[in-house]
Amino acid sequence: MENEEEAALSSSPNPLDVDPALQKKHQSMLDRLTNRHQTRLGSSLTRRSAESDSSSSPSFESTSTFLSRFSNSKSSIESQLAQCRLGLSESTQVKSQLDQISSSISDLEKLVAENSYFLPSYEVRSSLKTISDLRQSLEILSSELLPKKKFAFKNKPTRKDPIFESKEQEEEKKPEKPGFRVPQSPGFWNKKGEILVHKFKGSELGEFTIADLDSCEVRLTGSVRALFVHRLRNCRVYTGPVTGSVLIDGVEGCVFIMASHQIRIHNAKRIDFYLRVRSRPIIEDSCGVRFAPYCLSYQGIEDELREASLDEETENWSNVDDFLWLRAVQSPNWSVLPEDERVGLVDISNSEES
């Protein structure tokens, strides 16, 4: 329409040579074209201003921004560790101070998980190594300031817990590798052939450990901040949302159905993982591991996943990083689980707590 009006203007005679009616029509056409031009000009200026404002604002998906936040959090944690080590806190406040440091480390893990999709692989590795070092320093400091009560009964075998005794013997025989030490948090330890059920309620637990299980089925509902899985054989593990990270080490012949912001897998053999994860799953020293999408159901799980920001499928379950495979081709250590071999929806709604 606009082009027709412009063409009409260019081909029309001088308005002074025509009658008043045609002159009036000619002026009306000029007014419409002028208004359109002014409107377009205003829109263009507004758009340019918005683009300028957008370009001047800091980008969240920036490696430098992440490194700055990570460094500040790391320095704060190191300062808190130093304060505890020097005895600057009251003795009655040491336990709460250590818990706060543990929470800060978990928040740092979550920061890495939420930003790992755009970070270079070497930055992710470096950040995870820093977090492992911080957690190991915390564990060493905790053992110094809060010695375990079980050592008080070392010379009283009749009162010694056989589970703790077994754990002590295992620790003496096989020292943990740095970065994969199992915390003495609440959890399931040293079980065989059992169905183990636990419901996390509110914020009662920050960390949970599953260790030294054989031929067991573990059902965890509700949300937890961090989950540690260590030395499992022929087990099935079903978990609701983990708001921080899952650390798995030394597992064989198992099935895991898990939702978490970050999942790190070490020394796993012949494992099927059904995952929903915000960042890329990481495997190390593993072989024969297969991956498929999350398929767990129980009453209230959708609300819990939403609250943990895990309600959306990211497809990261199939975007696995093998840190020890540096070639450009697909790592032979992991694969996508064929659809005809996958389990269906697993419903654990009727589980009774152990």
Side-chain angles (χ1 to χ4, degrees):
M1 179 68 182
E2 181 180 336
N3 292 335
E4 293 176 359
E5 291 177 347
E6 290 176 347
L9 284 174
S10 62
S11 61
S12 62
N14 192 320
L16 298 177
D17 298 334
V18 296
D19 59 52
L22 186 58
Q23 182 177 357
K24 184 176 181 180
K25 182 178 180 182
H26 186 275
Q27 184 61 44
S28 177
M29 191 181 298
L30 281 175
D31 291 341
R32 285 200 302 273
L33 288 173
T34 300
N35 289 337
R36 287 177 184 172
H37 177 69
Q38 293 295 334
T39 301
R40 287 183 176 179
L41 181 61
S43 299
S44 176
L45 291 173
T46 301
R47 189 163 53 249
R48 289 177 183 176
S49 176
E51 290 174 353
S52 176
D53 292 342
S54 175
S55 62
S56 63
S57 61
S59 172
F60 180 73
E61 295 184 357
S62 163
T63 300
S64 60
T65 301
F66 165 80
L67 291 176
S68 176
R69 294 177 60 192
F70 186 89
S71 177
N72 291 338
S73 298
K74 171 178 173 286
S75 298
S76 175
I77 293 170
E78 288 174 337
S79 176
Q80 294 177 64
L81 287 169
Q83 182 178 357
C84 282
R85 188 173 289 109
L86 294 174
L88 298 181
S89 300
E90 296 290 337
S91 57
T92 56
Q93 299 177 349
V94 170
K95 179 64 168 59
S96 61
Q97 182 75 7
L98 294 174
D99 289 342
Q100 178 59 45
I101 296 174
S102 178
S103 178
S104 298
I105 295 175
S106 295
D107 290 342
L108 199 57
E109 287 180 318
K110 187 175 181 180
L111 176 67
V112 175
E114 290 176 343
N115 293 276
S116 63
Y117 67 95
F118 71 85
L119 291 173
S121 294
Y122 66 89
E123 293 292 2
V124 176
R125 290 192 187 96
S126 176
S127 299
L128 292 176
K129 178 62 169 60
T130 298
I131 291 170
S132 294
D133 292 342
L134 289 172
R135 191 168 291 284
Q136 186 175 10
S137 297
L138 175 61
E139 291 170 1
I140 294 173
L141 184 60
S142 297
S143 65
E144 293 174 353
L145 301 180
L146 301 173
K148 299 290 186 299
K149 292 182 179 180
K150 62 183 180 182
F151 294 121
F153 302 108
K154 192 170 184 179
N155 295 325
K156 298 180 182 181
T158 57
R159 296 181 59 185
K160 192 168 186 177
D161 191 329
I163 295 179
F164 284 131
E165 181 179 9
S166 174
K167 271 193 286 185
E168 287 176 4
Q169 292 172 353
E170 288 292 334
E171 290 170 355
E172 291 174 358
K173 293 177 183 178
K174 186 178 179 180
E176 304 290 348
K177 293 182 180 181
F180 289 94
R181 296 185 60 183
V182 183
Q184 297 294 319
S185 58
F188 296 131
W189 302 77
N190 296 283
K191 304 288 184 180
K192 184 173 182 179
E194 297 186 28
I195 296 179
L196 306 168
V197 180
H198 186 81
K199 165 69 175 176
F200 300 112
K201 300 175 183 177
S203 57
E204 63 168 319
L205 282 175
E207 298 177 349
F208 197 82
T209 297
I210 306 170
D212 298 301
L213 305 185
D214 187 356
S215 304
C216 292
E217 183 171 307
V218 179
R219 304 174 184 176
L220 304 178
T221 60
S223 298
V224 67
R225 189 178 68 228
L227 180 64
F228 300 91
V229 181
H230 190 61
R231 290 202 296 262
L232 269 59
R233 289 177 57 87
N234 304 319
C235 293
R236 292 177 177 268
V237 179
Y238 310 134
T239 77
V242 179
T243 59
S245 62
V246 176
L247 181 60
I248 300 173
D249 179 37
V251 293
E252 183 174 354
C254 300
V255 174
F256 292 93
I257 302 181
M258 300 177 142
S260 179
H261 281 250
Q262 181 185 38
I263 297 178
R264 189 176 178 189
I265 303 158
H266 181 261
N267 192 19
K269 299 177 181 177
R270 298 184 294 105
I271 307 292
D272 287 346
F273 290 98
Y274 296 80
L275 305 179
R276 180 174 296 175
V277 58
R278 288 287 301 274
S279 60
R280 297 185 296 266
I282 297 169
I283 65 171
E284 299 174 87
D285 294 320
S286 300
C287 63
V289 293
R290 306 188 298 178
F291 294 85
Y294 192 62
C295 57
L296 189 66
S297 175
Y298 59 82
Q299 186 175 1
I301 188 173
E302 295 301 331
D303 291 337
E304 293 172 358
L305 290 171
R306 190 178 304 109
E307 291 174 1
S309 299
L310 288 166
D311 52 319
E312 296 183 3
E313 177 56 71
T314 64
E315 302 292 337
N316 275 330
W317 61 266
S318 62
N319 189 18
V320 181
D321 278 343
D322 185 347
F323 274 9
L324 298 184
W325 184 258
L326 304 180
R327 301 180 186 178
V329 297
Q330 163 73 34
S331 165
N333 298 318
W334 72 274
S335 62
V336 171
L337 184 60
E339 291 189 17
D340 59 355
E341 297 183 31
R342 299 176 186 176
V343 301
L345 184 67
V346 177
D347 193 336
I348 58 172
S349 298
N350 297 325
S351 301
E352 296 184 2
E353 189 162 354
S354 304

